[in-house]
Amino acid sequence: MPCWFMRGGTSKGPFFRADDLPQDSNARDSILLAAMGSPDPRQIDGLGGAHPLTSKVGIVGLSRQAGIDLEFRFVQVQPDQDIVDTTANCGNMLAAVVPFAIESGLLEPGADITSARVLTLNTGLVAEIAIPTPAGEDGRYVEYGGDAEIDGVPGTSAAVVISFLDTAGSVCSSMLPTGNLTDSVEIGGFGPVEVTCIDNGQPLVIIDAAALGRTGREPVVELNADTELKARLEALRLSCGELMGLGDVAGKNYPKMTLVSPPAQGGTIGTRSFIPHVCHESIGVLAAVTVGTAAVLAGTVAHAVAKMPDGGTPTVSVEHPSGEFSVQLELDPADPTRVAKSALIRTARLIMAGDVMIPARQRQPQSSKEQDL
C-alpha cells in the first residue's frame, strides 16, 4: 500500500491517498489497523509508536467542493485497541496535509508559497494552510528547512501557517454547548467542581488544577501515574460528555480534559492536557486554540487563572509541559465573545515514502459497512 510517513507538529503517522484505500470502511479500517500494528501496546508489528500521539493516520484526497482544494480525514488508532476513530480533529496532523499532497502528486505547487484550503471531513472544519515551495533545478519542491521552532519538536523547520476560519462547535452543537461559561459538576465521593465546557475546534472540559488538589505544573510522568486524579477526571469527563450533548463518551476520544493554572513561564495560562486518558507531552493544536478562546472569555475557569495581555488582537501564550504554544485570535467586532479566526504556526516533515506491507488476511475482512469518504 503506497504510504508517506509524515510528522505534523508534535504528532506523526502514515498518510494515504484516499483513492489508494478501499471505499468500504471496514476494509479500510482493517488495513489501517494492520499498518499501525494495533491492537498491541507496543504496536510491534506495525508503524505505530506505542503512544496515542504517534498512533495517528491521515487520509487525503482532492475535493470537488467549491472553494475547497483538499479533503482530509484524521484517524486516531489506539495502540492497544482495535478501534478506528474518525470523529475528532487533529490540528498537528493537519499541518502535514499540504506537504503530503505535494509529495504524493495530489497538488502541484505554483509559487514560492503554496496555499490550499483544507476541509477536515471528520467535523467540517476548514483551514487555509500555507507552506514554502521554492523553485529548484527539477521544479518546485516542499521546503522543510527553516527557522521556525515549536516546543515539543527538536531543532528548527520551515513554518507551516494554519489559519482556522470558523472552528466554533466543531463536534458539539456550539462553542459553549451547555449554554454556560461555567458549570458545577459533581464528582462522586469528591464533591462539586467548577468546569468550562467549550468547543472551538476541540471539545474540552477545562478545570482549575487547584480544584482537584494539583498545581497544574506536575511533570507528565507524575500525572500519568496519578490514578486518583485520572479516576476523577474520567468521572468528570463522562458527566460532562452528557452535559455537552455528546452522549455516552466512555468509548470516545473526546471531550479532552485540560487542567489549567496561572502561567509559570511568562505566558498567558498553564495547561496539562489529557487526551483523554494520557497526559499530553505538550498540547494539541486545536486544544490550544480552544484553551486560548476560553482564556479570553470573562467568566470561564480559564479566564480566572489567566494573565491576559492588554489590548489589541489577543495572542494567547499557552504553556504546556514541553514549552509554550502561541495562538493569535481575531475576535468578531460585532460580538467580542465570538472568535472569527485563529492563526498559528506548526512545522512538518516527510520522514519516509514507500509502501507499507499489509498481510493478505487483513486486506479482506469478513464483513463490511458503507464507507463515507
Side-chain angles (χ1 to χ4, degrees):
M1 182 70 60
C3 169
W4 287 255
F5 200 87
M6 308 284 301
R7 176 183 65 78
T10 55
S11 297
K12 65 179 179 179
F15 273 69
F16 299 91
R17 292 176 300 210
D19 288 346
D20 290 336
L21 290 168
Q23 296 206 356
D24 175 88
S25 64
N26 200 45
R28 176 202 68 190
D29 291 356
S30 183
I31 287 172
L32 297 183
L33 289 169
M36 298 303 286
S38 291
D40 175 67
R42 293 190 298 158
Q43 292 177 311
I44 195 66
D45 203 32
L47 296 173
H51 189 283
L53 293 181
T54 51
S55 189
K56 299 182 176 185
V57 178
I59 303 172
V60 181
L62 294 174
S63 179
R64 297 184 180 88
Q65 298 189 46
I68 301 294
D69 301 300
L70 299 167
E71 295 180 354
F72 165 57
R73 190 176 296 280
F74 166 64
V75 182
Q76 178 70 65
V77 178
Q78 296 297 336
D80 58 351
Q81 300 175 40
D82 62 357
I83 297 172
V84 177
D85 186 0
T86 59
T87 60
N89 292 319
C90 180
N92 274 304
M93 291 289 274
L94 181 63
V97 169
V98 176
F100 162 76
I102 294 172
E103 298 286 7
S104 63
L106 291 173
L107 202 62
E108 185 74 26
D112 287 345
I113 299 293
T114 295
S115 295
R117 190 162 285 196
V118 178
L119 169 66
T120 297
L121 293 171
N122 304 53
T123 64
L125 179 146
V126 177
E128 191 166 85
I129 303 174
I131 65 169
T133 49
E137 292 183 2
D138 299 319
R140 295 193 177 276
Y141 63 95
V142 179
E143 176 59 77
Y144 295 106
D147 298 326
E149 292 184 67
I150 61 172
D151 290 324
V153 177
T156 63
S157 304
V160 177
V161 180
I162 304 177
S163 298
F164 295 107
L165 305 181
D166 186 4
T167 50
S170 68
V171 176
C172 300
S173 59
S174 63
M175 188 172 76
L176 296 170
T178 71
N180 303 316
L181 290 161
T182 304
D183 292 281
S184 181
V185 181
E186 187 82 21
I187 302 177
F190 182 78
V193 176
E194 298 292 306
V195 302
T196 291
C197 299
I198 184 169
D199 176 5
N200 194 30
Q202 187 77 260
L204 294 188
V205 178
I206 298 176
I207 318 104
D208 185 345
L212 296 177
R214 306 301 187 273
T215 66
R217 299 173 185 172
E218 293 85 356
V220 169
V221 65
E222 181 178 325
L223 291 173
N224 279 329
D226 191 339
T227 55
E228 179 184 69
L229 173 66
K230 291 169 75 173
R232 288 174 181 168
L233 287 176
E234 182 62 7
L236 196 58
R237 193 176 80 89
L238 295 177
S239 295
C240 290
E242 297 285 352
L243 282 178
M244 296 169 79
L246 299 172
D248 182 3
V249 297
K252 297 177 180 177
N253 290 311
Y254 56 81
K256 316 290 190 187
M257 309 300 290
T258 303
L259 301 179
V260 295
S261 59
Q265 303 295 327
T268 306
I269 190 168
T271 62
R272 292 294 184 268
S273 179
F274 287 78
I275 53 173
H277 306 117
V278 176
C279 186
H280 204 307
E281 298 285 347
S282 54
I283 189 170
V285 169
L286 290 161
V289 170
T290 303
V291 169
T293 302
V296 304
L297 297 178
T300 67
V301 171
H303 187 83
V305 301
K307 285 191 174 181
M308 290 302 303
D310 295 328
T313 300
T315 297
V316 180
S317 173
V318 179
E319 296 179 359
H320 56 74
S322 301
E324 74 87 38
F325 193 134
S326 292
V327 180
Q328 189 173 68
L329 301 170
E330 184 177 311
L331 303 180
D332 186 344
D335 180 5
T337 66
R338 177 180 174 270
V339 175
K341 183 179 179 181
S342 54
L344 47 90
I345 290 177
R346 295 276 85 188
T347 64
R349 185 170 84 85
L350 174 65
I351 297 172
M352 182 281 297
D355 294 317
V356 59
M357 311 308 292
I358 308 297
R361 69 182 182 280
Q362 289 169 287
R363 293 177 65 95
Q364 300 176 6
Q366 295 299 309
S367 61
S368 65
K369 56 187 176 182
E370 186 177 349
Q371 182 348 24
D372 59 356
L373 181 63

